[in-house]
Amino acid sequence: MTTASKSPHVLILGAGLGGLTLAQSLRKKDISFEVFEKAQDDKQPQGWAVGLHTMLKDFHESMPDDMPDFGMVNHLNPLKIMPEIAFYNGPDGEKLGYRDNGAGYWVRANRTRLRDWLSTKINVQFNKQAVRIEEDDSGVTVHFKDGSKASGDIVVGAEGVHSPTRKHLLKGEDKLVRHKTASVGGECTLSGPLFVEQLQLAHSSYMINFPNTQHDDGKKYHLFVGLNKVIPDGKSGDFYFTLLWTDEGVATDPDHFWTRTASREELHAFARRITADLPEKFRRTVDETTVEGMLDKQITIYTLILDEDALPAGRITLLGDAAHAMTPFRGEGGCHAMQDALKLARAVASIADKDDAESIKTVLGAYQKEMIKRGSEAARLSDTQLDQERPPNMFMQPLPKDQVVI
């Protein structure tokens, strides 16, 4: 890639949603960059569907003109129904949530499809795990585990919650906190009437809160059910469920918490027992998940809240979960990571001279302050969302219980 000689060369560590959004935004601005990813190849699991909302207008305006049709990322393709997320406070609770009105202000994207879209014309260098970063007034060099190295003017750590770049900036100190939420999850495929039944509960995903009636442990449980993607024939869908509850033990001793050591059979039996008294439609994904469909490595949920001045201003910075990891309970983590990338790309574009170390320090310092303030506030709100009786304000509209035809 060629660019103006005074434009900084940016090294992006991490090819997730944030890192690739940054790469595409820099590509549109004709700023040179390289993307490095520690995974061996692009066949690694990408996670489930992700909601995109508050940053979509800025996102579309910041993407190059030669990108494919964004509609390809929609997890509901080929069905012609709108994305919808719902919240039920108990089996008899009102259906609250949000449904896109057709204007595309809210999109539920299959994460693999979205990453493929964001990878358009981006050369990701795989098997590049950063082990050391060196910085001086003239530039920055990243050393990788395979013995190779790369040099540039700016390094961006977009590697996620366990970011080595963050640990470098904080001189080994880490403020990452394990959340006190335990979980058990699994995956299944539903077809025909069972597929339609779940779409009628919510086109994209739903959560239901309910007490444990199986034994008196005083715990409240939360069942999240999501559609990852519709099968191309439009008659089936791949679903996932996560059963969540509060337990201090998962935060204080995560390596020995029982969900970490339990067998798939034990996890399967627990999920079925806890949801046994729910109406059949709500427990459907749990009942239809086989033992083999249970996740053997349960999700660990993290929170990272930094002070605004926690990161030194220099040639190295962060975005996304590397800077402000948050629980998934408000559905904002992906949006904030991509918003970070869009703001950072504009900041880099404002640097007139890549050799002006003070200008880089000033520009990236201002970006970091805004990014940490915004991201940390979102992390704080998300941290307590699971304990609330109602969903976030943006999802507070009553939703119709309509019929779905496939």
Side-chain angles (χ1 to χ4, degrees):
M1 179 178 294
T2 60
T3 188
S5 61
K6 290 297 184 179
S7 177
H9 180 63
V10 182
L11 307 180
I12 303 171
L13 307 182
L17 302 186
L20 291 173
T21 298
L22 175 60
Q24 291 291 1
S25 192
L26 293 175
R27 184 166 77 89
K28 180 168 185 175
K29 294 172 173 57
D30 200 25
I31 296 172
S32 71
F33 62 87
E34 293 176 89
V35 182
F36 304 92
E37 168 59 47
K38 69 178 181 180
Q40 298 292 319
D41 53 43
D42 61 355
K43 306 303 181 186
Q44 303 295 316
Q46 302 303 319
W48 295 310
V50 57
L52 306 176
H53 35 83
T54 51
M55 35 55 71
L56 271 175
K57 184 176 184 295
D58 187 12
F59 174 77
H60 289 307
E61 291 173 350
S62 300
M63 292 296 101
D65 297 333
D66 58 358
M67 297 294 285
D69 179 10
F70 190 66
M72 66 175 281
V73 311
N74 188 345
H75 77 141
L76 286 164
N77 286 340
L79 300 182
K80 304 302 181 185
I81 58 178
M82 294 298 104
E84 173 191 76
I85 185 168
F87 175 93
Y88 296 88
N89 191 19
D92 301 319
E94 181 183 13
K95 181 181 180 182
L96 299 173
Y98 183 76
R99 178 188 295 178
D100 186 66
N101 62 6
Y105 293 128
W106 186 71
V107 173
R108 186 79 171 168
N110 174 270
R111 195 177 292 259
T112 298
R113 294 175 186 172
L114 179 57
R115 189 181 177 197
D116 288 345
W117 188 89
L118 285 169
S119 297
T120 301
K121 299 190 177 182
I122 302 295
N123 176 32
V124 178
Q125 300 178 53
F126 291 97
N127 195 28
K128 296 293 182 181
Q129 182 175 347
V131 293
R132 191 170 84 258
I133 303 175
E134 297 173 341
E135 177 186 11
D136 57 35
D137 285 343
S138 62
V140 64
T141 298
V142 180
H143 296 263
F144 299 101
K145 189 176 181 179
D146 65 359
S148 63
K149 61 182 180 180
S151 296
D153 304 297
I154 293 171
V155 166
V156 181
E159 316 101 324
V161 294
H162 299 296
S163 166
T165 305
R166 181 181 71 244
K167 293 176 183 177
H168 167 83
L169 289 173
L170 297 180
K171 301 186 183 306
E173 181 185 7
D174 207 346
K175 297 179 183 273
L176 192 66
V177 176
R178 294 179 181 89
H179 199 264
K180 59 182 181 181
T181 299
S183 67
V184 169
E187 301 170 309
C188 67
T189 298
L190 299 177
S191 302
L194 298 187
F195 179 38
V196 172
E197 171 193 69
Q198 293 302 299
L199 290 177
Q200 290 181 166
L201 287 172
H203 301 168
S204 298
S205 63
Y206 63 87
M207 177 178 280
I208 178 170
N209 295 340
F210 61 100
N212 176 19
T213 58
Q214 297 303 304
H215 52 86
D216 186 17
D217 61 4
K219 295 184 184 300
K220 179 191 290 184
Y221 287 83
H222 316 266
L223 180 64
F224 181 87
V225 175
L227 171 66
N228 190 28
K229 68 177 185 297
V230 177
I231 306 301
D233 67 3
K235 303 298 183 182
S236 305
D238 290 339
F239 287 84
Y240 58 97
F241 79 84
T242 306
L243 180 64
L244 303 142
W245 69 98
T246 298
D247 195 311
E248 298 288 349
V250 75
T252 57
D253 194 12
D255 294 334
H256 298 96
F257 191 74
W258 76 265
T259 60
R260 288 283 186 165
T261 58
S263 66
R264 277 193 171 100
E265 289 81 3
E266 291 169 326
L267 296 169
H268 186 255
F270 175 81
R272 288 174 67 91
R273 186 178 81 249
I274 295 299
T275 59
D277 287 343
L278 285 176
E280 193 173 22
K281 62 183 180 180
F282 284 117
R283 67 172 197 267
R284 181 75 66 194
T285 54
V286 177
D287 289 349
E288 293 295 323
T289 296
T290 64
V291 170
E292 293 72 25
M294 297 297 295
L295 302 181
D296 60 343
K297 293 183 178 178
Q298 298 305 312
I299 300 168
T300 300
I301 298 174
Y302 294 96
T303 297
L304 176 65
I305 298 175
L306 296 176
D307 295 332
E308 286 182 38
D309 297 318
L311 301 179
R315 293 180 177 271
I316 306 171
T317 192
L318 305 172
L319 66 75
D321 285 349
H324 44 65
M326 61 190 74
T327 70
F329 310 138
R330 289 175 64 89
E332 294 184 347
C335 282
H336 278 285
M338 296 166 79
Q339 190 170 358
D340 293 348
L342 302 175
K343 289 176 177 288
L344 179 55
R346 284 193 288 272
V348 171
S350 74
I351 297 171
D353 187 347
K354 67 180 182 180
D355 297 320
D356 186 347
E358 283 304 311
S359 176
I360 291 175
K361 179 178 179 178
T362 299
V363 167
L364 294 190
Y367 154 78
Q368 286 179 171
K369 278 200 169 188
E370 187 281 333
M371 177 267 294
I372 292 175
K373 181 178 181 180
R374 169 175 45 81
S376 293
E377 177 61 19
R380 288 188 189 95
L381 291 172
S382 186
D383 197 52
T384 59
Q385 183 61 52
L386 199 65
D387 298 327
Q388 307 300 314
E389 293 296 325
R390 297 173 73 83
N393 286 335
M394 66 179 297
F395 299 141
M396 286 291 283
Q397 305 171 35
L399 293 174
K401 297 181 180 179
D402 55 359
Q403 297 298 309
V404 175
V405 178
I406 59 173

